[in-house]
Amino acid sequence: MTERILDHPVLGVLEPDQTVTFTFNGMKYEGRCGEPIAAALLAAGIRTLRHHEESGTPRGIYCNIGHCFECRVEVDGHQGVRACLTPVREGMVINGGGALPSPVRDWRKDNA
Amino acid sequence: MRDLIIIGSGPAGLTAAITAAEHGLDILVIDEYLKPGGRLLGQLYEEPGGNWWNGIEESRKLAGRASSLGLDIRLGISVHNIEQIDGSWLVHADCETFETKSLLLATGAAEAPVAIPGWTLPGVMSVGAAQVMTNVHRVKPGQRGVIIGVNVLSSAIAMELKIADVEVAAIALPKTNQVNGKAANPSEVMNALLHVSHMAPSPLVKMGSKLMTNDFMKRMGITLYPKNGVRMWDIPVMLRKAVIRIEGTDQVEGVTLATVTAEGKIIPGTEEVIGCDFVCIAGGLYPLAELAALTGCPFYHIDELGGFVPLHSEDMRTPLDGLYVAGNITGIEGAKVAMSQGKTAALAIAKDHGQDIADTSLSEAVRQISSTRSDAHIQFHSEVEAGRRKLQEYWEQHAAGMRNVMV
Ligand SMILES: Cc1cc2nc3c(=O)[nH]c(=O)nc-3n(C[C@H](O)[C@H](O)[C@H](O)COP(=O)(O)OP(=O)(O)OC[C@H]3O[C@@H](n4cnc5c(N)ncnc54)[C@H](O)[C@@H]3O)c2cc1C
Ligand code: FES
């Protein structure tokens, strides 16, 4: 689906870099050490980083430079980490969040 | 306590850091990104004369110079608050608070979105996101994309995608609605392009501008603009078609386009779907000035500079003691202008720290900003100089007001 640009007509050949292994939603992936999580996942064909907390609809990167927080994932237990800014490291455990329960709203539907 | 903290390691922040270090100041540079260089990193275009402006290389040069001066640059740290207490600045970052006598905000710009149904689907990204994926991380944003929004940045990035062998199926307008304003009006977009395209970085826009400044095209104007667009670098630039919806269930699968009138009204029955696996939204840039807003620094809205900008003087001082600004936080321009602003700010700061900076070197640096501006090959707004003059008038009014208060 997506791919790395190994040879670029102006920027030249992509220097080989150390490969790291990490997991995303329990599946194993490889990335280039130090590249952002979002880039490593996109190179592996993954666009959906999380599902919206309320609506459950899928979300991926938007700005890719840290401004919009659309790419927030959980990294080694820390929530709200921006996948576009955070370098991928060996052994990282990454999870995309999903819809959260909304008990008050759910209760209102039947009781308001 | 530091002499100077610089927030942002883009071209403005790095150049300021280098200059201030050369004048003996003790400096800390903070940036939330994972590499130094800011938005310079993604830039790639051919300058007149055939040289490539390669943002990766330029950033490497600046970072190299900074490290040879032993500068302390901390990456991966976001600043979320600043405050002035007892004459010094507190910079609150993720896990730490730093203290400094002077503070330079060089936080750059952000991209404005355009509102289109379907824009939350994975595969929809800002045009700058695609630039960074392609040129900095070297991962294709997809196989085939559609760019929504016709402006200097989107045409430059369309060409960059093309160079990296990523297909751009079309550059089209966004649909008209309450938020999209001028960006959805074919005549307005055409006019804006005509005024800046002679300076634009890419052969793509230059080629297009030749077409558009051609007398015949001008006369016929937008009314006769081909419905299927004018091809630039083989990419159809559609000023008479707007994206009305982004299609897909789990991720982008295509967009629905419709033909629009010269005013941007959708002509019913003209809808067509084209397939793509990513979509770029190009709503233009605005100064990222939130940190300055936290300080109580006065702000002015100046269209020509891209939005709200903190009040500042030609030598980059704000009305607040020890607070300075440089780069795109002061208005949207290219990286070379940001660098010359960074240098100027650093000289002003060094002077305020009692360093021996001649008035003539400072005024020479200010002049350099203007000459860099007039030589710039990228210009985001045709009236940027007028915008700068407006701000200077506000500064003078402010200074006069302060003098009255003191008498
Ligand atoms: C997406 C995008 C694409 C662009 N593409 C081009 C182009 O192709 N050609 C062109 O000429 N110009 C382009 N520009 C304009 C660009 O802003 C200038 O060319 C130039 O890079 C501005 O330099 P600067 O130093 O002011 O800011 P920047 O280069 O934007 O650097 C600002 C730095 O500050 C950091 N920062 C911001 N806020 C914080 C915070 N709170 N805490 C910590 N760090 C922070 C950022 O991470 C960033 O590294 C682009 C701008 C954007 C936003
Ligand atoms: S994609 Fe916008 S913050 Fe990461």
Side-chain angles (χ1 to χ4, degrees), chain B residues 265-289:
Chain B
K265 272 214 194 73
I266 292 164
I267 301 173
T270 59
E271 293 84 355
E272 60 183 304
V273 179
I274 60 173
C276 60
D277 65 347
F278 76 103
V279 167
C280 294
I281 291 188
L285 301 171
Y286 66 91
L288 187 62

Side-chain angles (χ1 to χ4, degrees), chain B residues 208 211-212 217 225-226 228-232 235-238:
Chain B
L211 271 175
M212 292 187 216
M217 284 298 286
Y225 191 88
N228 285 324
V230 171
R231 280 183 177 261
M232 294 194 258
I235 302 170
V237 179
M238 297 173 167

Side-chain angles (χ1 to χ4, degrees), chain B residues 245-375:
Chain B
R245 209 167 39 244
I246 301 168
E247 310 289 351
T249 32
D250 293 327
Q251 56 185 44
V252 171
E253 290 163 26
V255 299
T256 299
L257 288 169
T259 304
V260 292
T261 65
E263 291 72 44
K265 272 214 194 73
I266 292 164
I267 301 173
T270 59
E271 293 84 355
E272 60 183 304
V273 179
I274 60 173
C276 60
D277 65 347
F278 76 103
V279 167
C280 294
I281 291 188
L285 301 171
Y286 66 91
L288 187 62
E290 288 148 347
L291 289 176
L294 293 171
T295 65
C297 178
F299 268 73
Y300 288 92
H301 190 273
I302 301 183
D303 258 343
E304 298 89 331
L305 300 180
F308 283 99
V309 290
L311 182 62
H312 60 274
S313 65
E314 283 179 330
D315 48 17
M316 305 288 138
R317 293 176 166 108
T318 74
L320 279 79
D321 253 359
L323 186 69
Y324 306 79
V325 285
N328 272 203
I329 186 176
T330 74
I332 304 305
E333 302 195 63
K336 288 182 184 172
V337 173
M339 289 178 187
S340 51
Q341 289 177 319
K343 181 175 174 190
T344 306
L347 290 176
I349 294 165
K351 192 174 173 64
D352 294 347
H353 277 254
Q355 298 290 319
D356 186 20
I357 308 283
D359 284 338
T360 47
S361 355
L362 196 51
S363 53
E364 172 55 26
V366 170
R367 253 183 357 97
Q368 281 260 322
I369 301 177
S370 311
S371 61
T372 311
R373 177 171 299 130
S374 32
D375 294 344

Side-chain angles (χ1 to χ4, degrees), chain B residues 205-237:
Chain B
V205 180
K206 261 185 265 156
M207 215 159 101
S209 79
K210 263 197 210 117
L211 271 175
M212 292 187 216
T213 46
N214 166 302
D215 267 356
F216 172 75
M217 284 298 286
K218 231 182 195 166
R219 244 180 301 130
M220 295 303 139
I222 199 66
T223 335
L224 280 193
Y225 191 88
K227 300 282 184 296
N228 285 324
V230 171
R231 280 183 177 261
M232 294 194 258
W233 274 58
D234 220 26
I235 302 170
V237 179

Side-chain angles (χ1 to χ4, degrees), chain B residues 16 24 35 61 91 101 123-124 132 159 243 298 306 328 350 364 402:
Chain B
K35 292 177 186 211
K61 276 190 227 160
V91 174
K101 192 159 177 293
V124 180
V132 169
M159 190 205 58
V243 174
N328 272 203
E364 172 55 26
M402 293 308 283

